[in-house]
Amino acid sequence: LELADAEGEVRSIGNAHLALGEALRYAGQELDALDHYQIAIDFAGAYGNRDSEVWSRMGEASTHLQMGNFDLARASLAAANELVSDPE
């Protein structure tokens, strides 16, 4: 994340947050993972990085599943599905 921040490239910053979300989720640090996924989603949405937004939403959904938050997981998956279903 420090390297991406220093570079200043918004796509790299968003993707670094996605990667941190993944690592934290696998480490069982779900709340921290959700924070990083949300930052990644915000960057992706603001700068049109749909691929990163889809993967961030799916990571968010997986985290919610791990936590037993099934309604939130469904909402994250619905948002990801909307992104992949929209041709724009």
Side-chain angles (χ1 to χ4, degrees):
L1 182 57
E2 286 179 27
L3 181 61
D5 281 337
E7 186 180 281
E9 168 57 44
V10 293
R11 185 178 211 108
S12 296
I13 295 168
N15 287 338
H17 282 285
L18 167 58
L20 281 170
E22 294 287 275
L24 290 164
R25 176 170 59 92
Y26 286 117
Q29 298 178 37
E30 289 93 351
L31 295 178
D32 290 332
L34 288 172
D35 288 342
H36 284 283
Y37 286 130
Q38 187 57 59
I39 294 168
I41 289 164
D42 292 344
F43 269 93
Y47 297 100
N49 188 350
R50 290 168 56 108
D51 182 61
S52 182
E53 188 172 358
V54 168
W55 285 107
S56 298
R57 293 282 184 189
M58 290 178 12
E60 180 184 60
S62 293
T63 306
H64 285 307
L65 285 173
Q66 278 179 220
M67 297 173 70
N69 298 329
F70 303 114
D71 289 339
L72 293 174
R74 278 193 270 293
S76 297
L77 289 173
N81 186 55
E82 187 175 316
L83 284 166
V84 299
S85 298
D86 182 4
E88 295 298 317

